[in-house]
Amino acid sequence: MRIWKTLGLLALILSAIASGGCGSGARGDLGTKTETVQGLRDRSIDLDRRPELPWQDPSEAGFRRRSRAIREKLARADLSELDRWWRREQIGDPHKYLLPAIVARLSLSDLYGRGESAQENRPSPWEALLTLERDRPDLYHFRSIFDIRLFFLHRETMPPAVRESYRSMTVKPRVEEWLEGGTENHLFMQYASGLAFLKGSQWPPDLPHIQAVQEGWLRLQLKKFLTIGQGEFHSSTYYGYSIAGVLNLYDFAPTPELRSLATALLDWYAANMAVRFSWGTAGGAESRKFDRGTWDSGLSWIAWLWWGDEDDPHANVEEAIDNHLRVALLPALSDYRPPPHLRAIARKEIPLPFELRASHPAYFSSSEDNHLWEDFYATEDYTLGTLLEPSRSYQVEGTIRAQYATYKLVIRDRNGGDNAVVSLAGTYHTPMATGRSPADQYLQDRGTVLYQQVLNAADRAAGVPARSHLVLPRRYGEPRSWQGWQIWKIENVWLVTRPWGDRLWWNPSISETDPEYAAFVAEGERTAWITEVARVKDYPTWEALTRALAKTEIDDRAWNDEHTLIYTNLAGRPLQMTYNRYGAIAAAQIDGRDRVLDDWPVLESPYLRVPLDGGLLEIDHPTLGRWQLSAIDARPEWKAIAE
């Protein structure tokens, strides 16, 4: 286990801040200056707002149309009704719901003017804002991301009373609220937005040290990401909120050093989104939440804005939930565009298949690397990801274990409208088989997964259910059975499963809140699964598939006593898994080699690489070539990599 010293890093960060930040790094020699990499450098330090960005996206006009569609949808919200709703329901964070409508409306002066009320007896956006300020003056994270963008975009035209309310955010005791804590995304929202505001408002804050704390924390996160990874990794819900905070710093940073810092952080987020993105769904493992939809999460709408097509009939903004669209509003108003290398990767318009393996740190830690391990496999027809976590924990409060996505199969809907998303896990947290159930253990090799759950006395005492669920959309119906295998044909793949348990059965209704999902259930204190995803292109008929399955080998003779399964899969690769009854990670072999989890890279794939302790992010595009973002001493620098 490699550990870099947090105190040493903080010293380097404070030294960088004291010496003027990362100016020398941002303006240094970039090696081979291709037009694309030169553009990457320029966008990180150029403080001028440029109306056209042709080097980044030849379809900039398409981006603007997508941006306007999002803003028009959010602007139509009834501010009066939202105001009544949050008071009636006693919502603690009303800005989260009203400010997106206000910001969107003010961005559409051709439709709504510059803040005056468009209808008689309806409050103007400014009046609604002042009412919120009077009744909920707290400066909290879900407010700050929208509030600070509103300030910078409209500071010259806002009423004096509104401007004065912003000035009060720089004086004691209010200014102290810019250091409020919380989860990782809370800190990104509050610190990045607060730093942009305190640095750029031109009102000297009563407590100037707050800016140094905020900048130091942000530089620490960049160094952490490029060295040991991210605690709140690839969250389909919370990525968008973190991105929103950093976008405020990107767009309104008063110095090139801060803009460079924001660019590097945003490139990290965009790269992680792109490599796992699966045709409208956040594919692969997640630290918080489980994206089962298609164009139905905050992350997916940001991806649509950056890399989508506005003429896609299935990515319908009018049918999108405002709660998901609101996090795409700030990217829609931002000058930031991801590196052009990422577009083809996000759209999976690259040579496939590919494998990704990744490691993640403990959630808040700046030193505990290789705390979680992720496998991800992408093909033309599906993506599959699993996550390993090293603790057998029964905690249900004050933890994100209930929000982990530990097995996610995304099967592509070729019509683009409704991907099939499958989960497999125990049911400690939910019958939908999401979250880190204490006894879950996995082994993944490309499109094959072995899963085992064997309950011990502590599991039983904690109430871990003696069952595991394979959850999939109900519309695909019951499986077809063949020699112990349960098989579904879903879109262009065969989902082939072999369960073990005391009782195996099909449950067409597992959750009142998710009636469109069903589960195949394995009951018993010892349950296990083999899941194999086979492409119809390779096995075009039922007969071709079953002939191939007949050539696979299953050895479960030691399952009951030693909890060992051996399976030689369709590709002819042997997998062996022995359950760890008192731990959390099974002993496993793939193709005769032990699975070793020590010192996994932060990210490793043909297209995206972040070596452990490397301090760099490298992206490889089949035609645009390779570029690298490094952050030595938390000072970002971009350069091309010679072939």
Side-chain angles (χ1 to χ4, degrees), residues 543-576:
E543 290 73 22
L545 176 67
T546 54
R547 281 197 303 270
L549 284 175
K551 297 177 182 178
T552 65
E553 297 179 6
I554 297 175
D555 184 349
D556 62 355
R557 291 172 296 176
W559 169 239
N560 286 334
D561 296 328
E562 300 176 16
H563 311 127
T564 295
L565 289 176
I566 303 173
Y567 173 58
T568 302
N569 65 14
L570 287 169
R573 289 163 63 87
L575 284 69
Q576 180 171 324

Side-chain angles (χ1 to χ4, degrees), residues 329-368:
L329 172 63
L330 302 186
L333 289 168
S334 174
D335 285 347
Y336 175 79
R337 305 291 182 272
H341 302 62
L342 295 178
R343 180 177 175 83
I345 296 173
R347 295 166 66 92
K348 299 299 175 278
E349 295 170 349
I350 48 177
L352 296 169
F354 73 84
E355 297 176 66
L356 167 78
R357 64 173 184 158
S359 66
H360 309 287
Y363 186 81
F364 279 122
S365 177
S366 296
S367 60
E368 296 178 61

Side-chain angles (χ1 to χ4, degrees), residues 283-425:
E286 299 187 48
S287 59
R288 300 187 65 191
K289 299 300 181 181
F290 190 109
D291 189 7
R292 288 190 187 273
T294 308
W295 307 116
D296 193 32
S297 67
L299 184 151
S300 65
W301 282 111
I302 295 175
W304 177 76
L305 178 72
W306 283 345
W307 303 303
D309 297 312
E310 63 273 14
D311 57 355
D312 183 343
H314 300 290
N316 190 334
V317 169
E318 292 304 313
E319 296 180 0
I321 300 172
D322 283 3
N323 284 357
H324 296 155
L325 281 184
R326 77 165 70 98
V327 296
L329 172 63
L330 302 186
L333 289 168
S334 174
D335 285 347
Y336 175 79
R337 305 291 182 272
H341 302 62
L342 295 178
R343 180 177 175 83
I345 296 173
R347 295 166 66 92
K348 299 299 175 278
E349 295 170 349
I350 48 177
L352 296 169
F354 73 84
E355 297 176 66
L356 167 78
R357 64 173 184 158
S359 66
H360 309 287
Y363 186 81
F364 279 122
S365 177
S366 296
S367 60
E368 296 178 61
D369 61 55
N370 271 252
H371 187 73
L372 301 101
W373 301 268
E374 173 188 359
D375 282 292
F376 179 75
Y377 185 62
T379 75
E380 294 178 4
D381 298 308
Y382 71 90
T383 66
L384 174 64
T386 56
L387 182 70
L388 305 179
E389 197 262 352
S391 63
R392 201 178 186 107
S393 173
Y394 310 104
Q395 188 177 359
V396 294
E397 296 181 357
T399 176
I400 65 170
R401 288 185 180 87
Q403 296 176 303
Y404 283 137
T406 56
Y407 176 110
K408 188 193 296 182
L409 168 63
V410 180
I411 301 172
R412 182 182 187 180
D413 176 4
R414 282 291 177 176
N415 294 321
D418 197 4
N419 298 327
V421 180
V422 180
S423 58
L424 169 63

Side-chain angles (χ1 to χ4, degrees), residues 8 24 66 85 109 135 145 162 182 204 261 276 315 336 341 347 376 422 453 457 460 478-479 494 504 521 563 623 630:
S24 61
R66 295 191 292 276
W85 166 77
S109 58
D135 296 338
I145 51 174
V162 176
L261 169 62
R276 299 176 180 89
Y336 175 79
H341 302 62
R347 295 166 66 92
F376 179 75
V422 180
Q453 175 181 258
R460 290 190 289 272
E478 295 188 48
W494 301 99
L504 307 174
V521 180
H563 311 127
T623 58
S630 62

Side-chain angles (χ1 to χ4, degrees), residues 40-282:
L40 287 168
R41 171 191 179 276
D42 290 345
R43 75 194 176 120
S44 74
I45 60 175
D46 183 4
L47 298 180
D48 296 329
R49 303 281 80 80
R50 289 170 290 171
E52 298 294 341
L53 305 168
W55 68 268
Q56 292 172 322
D57 185 356
S59 333
E60 178 66 14
F63 175 93
R64 295 183 179 193
R65 287 191 294 271
R66 295 191 292 276
S67 165
R68 187 173 179 93
I70 290 171
R71 289 181 286 131
E72 287 185 355
K73 170 68 159 53
L74 291 171
R76 287 197 292 271
D78 187 326
L79 291 176
S80 296
E81 177 55 35
L82 283 173
D83 186 72
R84 289 191 291 270
W85 166 77
W86 81 261
R87 296 174 190 279
R88 181 178 64 250
E89 301 297 328
Q90 298 182 341
I91 302 298
D93 51 1
H95 296 80
K96 181 179 180 180
Y97 306 95
L98 275 78
L99 281 180
I102 293 172
V103 172
R105 192 170 296 184
L106 289 171
S107 76
L108 297 165
S109 58
D110 58 323
L111 297 181
Y112 295 97
R114 297 191 177 276
E116 60 271 17
S117 177
Q119 295 177 306
E120 188 176 356
N121 298 323
R122 294 288 180 92
S124 73
W126 299 121
E127 292 168 337
L129 189 65
L130 284 171
T131 300
L132 276 176
E133 169 70 0
R134 181 193 66 211
D135 296 338
R136 283 288 187 275
D138 303 15
L139 302 181
Y140 58 92
H141 30 74
F142 288 118
R143 171 184 181 172
S144 66
I145 51 174
F146 302 106
D147 216 10
I148 296 313
R149 184 160 295 267
L150 188 155
F151 168 77
F152 281 109
L153 292 179
H154 304 286
R155 65 185 301 179
E156 302 302 326
T157 57
M158 61 179 55
V162 176
R163 191 178 302 111
E164 187 56 34
S165 74
Y166 280 104
R167 180 189 283 272
S168 72
M169 299 176 188
T170 66
V171 302
K172 293 191 294 186
R174 245 188 145 190
V175 69
E176 298 173 7
E177 295 181 58
W178 288 115
L179 286 183
E180 283 189 355
T183 59
E184 185 182 287
N185 69 87
H186 292 172
L187 290 165
F188 269 107
M189 287 188 279
Q190 195 76 343
Y191 281 22
S193 299
L195 182 59
F197 176 67
L198 296 176
K199 286 279 192 181
S201 68
Q202 299 178 351
W203 294 321
D206 282 0
L207 299 174
H209 75 276
I210 289 176
Q211 301 164 79
V213 173
Q214 292 168 331
E215 182 177 351
W217 185 84
L218 291 167
R219 293 194 183 280
L220 177 63
Q221 298 314 296
L222 176 61
K223 182 69 174 180
K224 174 180 174 178
F225 291 175
L226 299 186
T227 309
I228 64 172
Q230 183 175 7
E232 197 167 85
F233 59 89
H234 194 235
S235 169
S236 56
T237 295
Y238 296 110
Y239 246 37
Y241 288 105
S242 293
I243 288 169
V246 181
L247 284 171
N248 283 333
L249 189 61
Y250 176 90
D251 288 312
F252 308 118
T255 68
E257 292 80 17
L258 289 177
R259 187 175 173 94
S260 178
L261 169 62
T263 306
L265 287 166
L266 291 167
D267 286 353
W268 162 270
Y269 280 103
N272 276 272
M273 286 172 55
V275 75
R276 299 176 180 89
F277 196 63
S278 304
W279 315 287
T281 303

